Amino acid sequence: MSPSTDRMITRVKSIYLYIKEKGTVTTRELVDEFGITQRTIQRDLNVLEYNHLVHSPSRGKWSATSKKVKVS
């Protein structure tokens, strides 16, 4: 895999683990925590949502789903 793909996978995994640990977080909180643009956070959240790992119970808030996942 290319270095940029590795970086993206690592970032998405970190975002997922952060949401899972905190419960419900806002998009703004993720931007502040990870120091990346809102657009990048949104793309990463779309990947997680597509894979049924997070959902948005209300606009701008995110929670982890109960889907079982093995994080390595």
Side-chain angles (χ1 to χ4, degrees), residues 54-65:
V54 300
H55 70 283
S56 182
S58 64
R59 187 177 167 103
K61 295 190 181 205
W62 296 90
S63 298
T65 64

Side-chain angles (χ1 to χ4, degrees), residues 7-72:
R7 253 191 336 269
M8 189 266 300
I9 290 170
T10 301
R11 188 180 65 241
V12 168
K13 191 186 313 183
S14 297
I15 291 168
Y16 171 71
L17 292 172
Y18 183 83
I19 294 169
K20 193 162 177 66
E21 180 184 312
K22 295 288 186 179
T24 301
V25 299
T26 64
T27 306
R28 180 85 244 160
E29 190 178 335
L30 293 170
V31 167
D32 293 343
E33 178 68 23
F34 291 93
I36 52 181
T37 66
Q38 186 165 340
R39 180 66 190 115
T40 300
I41 287 287
Q42 194 58 57
R43 273 195 304 267
D44 294 347
L45 289 167
N46 288 343
V47 168
L48 290 167
E49 188 173 39
Y50 178 82
N51 288 288
H52 308 288
L53 296 171
V54 300
H55 70 283
S56 182
S58 64
R59 187 177 167 103
K61 295 190 181 205
W62 296 90
S63 298
T65 64
S66 58
K67 182 177 181 180
K68 299 285 184 204
V69 71
K70 180 180 173 187
V71 179
S72 55

